[in-house]
Amino acid sequence: MALQCGIVGLPNVGKSTLFNCLSNAKAQAANFPFCTIEPNVGVITVPDERLTKLAEIVHPGRIVPTTVEIVDIAGLVKGASKGEGLGNQFLANIRETDAIIHVLRCFDDDNVIHVSDSIDPVRDKEIIDTELQIKDLETVDGRIQKVEKQAKSGGDQEAKITFEVLSKYKEALEKGQSARTVSFESKDEQRIAKDLFLLTAKPVMYVCNVDEGSVLKGNHYVDSVRKAIVGEDAQLLVVAAKTEAEIAELETYEDRQMFLQEVGLKESGVNRLIKLAYKLLNLETFITAGEMEVKAWTYHKGWKAPQCAGVIHTDFEKGFIRAEVIKYEDYLKYGSEVAVREAGKLGVEGKDYIVQDGDIMHFRFNV
């Protein structure tokens, strides 16, 4: 399930520094615009403490966490929608991603130049928002020209619904609002909206890159961003990319934990970002646990048992009979699968069971 989050932002806001912390793939982090020319892709392990605790009980041969792909995309400038800077490439790369991690500079540093010569994260956010909205408006206008005649003739119901969806998007985009601010009630509208693949309909997380002293409580820049995204259905995360880079250079887990304690953090910003990115993609995890391995499997939130079985192998879905489910908390409480069974806490679920995050699953199938 190769879903991607794209890291975007203006040049020199800390995108590549953050990406370097996330991935072993080292993007060039230099103090000049466009140092990242080609998108760098990193396959990032999703931190999950549940796997470690289960392994302490099961003693498996290995632990296999799940992953998510992060793409570092070249910095964007004003006019990208018309091809300025690396605009065309930026827009093509971002279209291929499933969610957006938008890095905003929320720190002062005279040694790091800013493309606009001043620090204003809300302005920076609006520059990228506007470029994406302009591109989406072009897409919407083009589609309206194709369906408007059929929609107004009254004979084509699909065209009529499509036209209504496009009209709602057009109204919002012309007001400077992103497509994600528009909601649809009917399943047909939701399906059509999804199939448009608009750039500003993608889920977004705003990452406020601050100095070390602001990582716990934020600063006035962060406050301005938080106010600006009200009603946008977006996530916000505060990290200090420079501090994260220092943490990443430490060799041992103990050294990293000690560093975090010194700066007052329980968990690194990188870990928090990865977990939030995973949720941003509407993903959850079910687990298989045995002597061979304890393994995390990725599925879309809301999937039923047969679909999740298919994540392991297509035959599991085709020949699905039932799923045996143990809740994570019950596994920890009783200490083994046998003890869970004896306590009557093992659930036997059919095709309509909606899998929950952290479920420990065993699928029965026949092909």
Side-chain angles (χ1 to χ4, degrees):
M1 191 177 294
L3 297 180
Q4 294 183 337
C5 284
I7 298 182
V8 305
L10 295 182
N12 289 4
V13 297
K15 293 186 299 86
S16 294
T17 300
L18 196 58
F19 178 82
N20 288 344
C21 298
L22 288 165
S23 171
N24 289 328
K26 296 295 181 183
Q28 181 187 4
N31 185 23
F32 57 89
F34 309 128
C35 63
T36 307
I37 304 300
E38 295 296 330
N40 294 271
V41 181
V43 180
I44 314 300
T45 296
V46 178
D48 194 334
E49 298 80 5
R50 295 173 300 191
L51 301 181
T52 305
K53 291 185 178 180
L54 285 171
E56 290 172 357
I57 297 172
V58 179
H59 305 295
R62 60 177 181 168
I63 300 174
V64 185
T66 190
T67 60
V68 64
E69 290 188 4
I70 307 288
V71 187
D72 181 23
I73 298 173
L76 173 128
V77 295
K78 191 173 182 179
S81 58
K82 296 179 177 62
E84 295 293 330
L86 297 172
N88 290 331
Q89 183 175 322
F90 173 95
L91 294 167
N93 291 335
I94 198 173
R95 193 176 295 280
E96 294 174 1
T97 65
D98 302 284
I100 298 169
I101 299 172
H102 187 163
V103 182
L104 297 168
R105 178 171 171 176
C106 295
F107 66 89
D108 295 305
D109 188 342
D110 293 337
N111 295 318
V112 181
I113 61 173
H114 189 286
V115 71
S116 299
D117 294 323
S118 62
I119 309 303
D120 185 343
V122 174
R123 174 204 60 206
D124 294 353
K125 168 192 175 304
E126 289 174 349
I127 287 172
I128 288 188
D129 283 351
T130 299
E131 297 304 325
L132 299 183
Q133 288 164 6
I134 290 171
K135 205 65 181 178
D136 277 349
L137 193 55
E138 289 178 9
T139 300
V140 168
D141 282 339
R143 290 294 299 273
I144 284 177
Q145 289 178 13
K146 292 180 179 179
V147 302
E148 186 172 12
K149 187 175 181 180
Q150 300 149 281
K152 291 185 175 179
S153 67
D156 190 332
Q157 188 65 21
E158 180 80 0
K160 184 177 180 180
I161 298 172
T162 301
F163 180 74
E164 291 173 357
V165 168
L166 291 167
S167 297
K168 288 181 181 179
Y169 274 144
K170 181 178 173 66
E171 183 181 358
L173 290 165
E174 287 180 338
K175 291 179 180 177
Q177 298 171 347
S178 294
R180 74 181 68 88
T181 64
V182 182
S183 59
F184 300 98
E185 294 184 4
S186 76
K187 289 185 177 180
D188 284 337
E189 286 181 324
Q190 292 169 6
R191 170 180 55 80
I192 291 167
K194 185 178 180 181
D195 289 344
L196 291 172
F197 297 105
L198 296 181
L199 299 172
T200 63
K202 296 177 186 289
V204 65
M205 177 203 317
Y206 293 103
V207 177
C208 295
N209 183 16
V210 300
D211 58 279
E212 184 177 308
S214 303
V215 73
L216 292 177
K217 296 183 179 180
N219 54 31
H220 67 284
Y221 293 131
V222 176
D223 293 338
S224 65
V225 174
R226 187 173 282 112
K227 184 177 179 181
I229 67 173
V230 170
E232 196 178 321
D233 190 26
Q235 304 281 352
L236 184 143
L237 184 68
V238 178
V239 301
K242 189 176 180 181
T243 302
E244 294 296 322
E246 293 174 4
I247 294 172
E249 290 177 0
L250 298 174
E251 292 185 3
T252 68
Y253 173 80
E254 290 73 18
D255 287 343
R256 291 192 289 272
Q257 290 303 112
M258 190 177 297
F259 190 107
L260 287 171
Q261 289 177 5
E262 289 176 359
V263 297
L265 293 172
K266 293 181 180 179
E267 187 176 26
S268 73
V270 164
N271 277 12
R272 289 183 286 120
L273 191 154
I274 296 169
K275 290 179 179 178
L276 198 54
Y278 194 67
K279 291 183 179 179
L280 197 67
L281 292 167
N282 203 30
L283 301 177
E284 292 183 334
T285 300
F286 72 86
I287 302 168
T288 53
E291 291 183 3
M292 184 178 294
E293 64 182 15
V294 168
K295 185 170 182 175
W297 302 86
T298 297
Y299 70 96
H300 284 280
K301 185 177 181 180
W303 273 14
K304 294 182 179 180
Q307 291 173 288
C308 288
V311 173
I312 299 176
H313 197 288
T314 53
D315 285 349
F316 284 27
E317 183 174 7
K318 292 176 183 175
F320 179 88
I321 299 172
R322 65 179 183 274
E324 295 177 354
V325 183
I326 301 174
K327 295 301 177 183
Y328 169 73
E329 293 77 11
D330 287 336
Y331 209 114
L332 292 190
K333 179 180 178 180
Y334 294 101
S336 72
E337 183 175 329
V338 172
V340 170
R341 287 178 182 272
E342 291 175 349
K345 293 293 185 178
L346 184 144
V348 178
E349 306 291 350
K351 293 182 178 180
D352 292 329
Y353 176 70
I354 297 174
V355 176
Q356 303 298 305
D357 185 53
D359 277 354
I360 299 164
M361 312 283 291
H362 183 72
F363 298 103
R364 300 292 184 182
F365 69 101
N366 183 30
V367 177

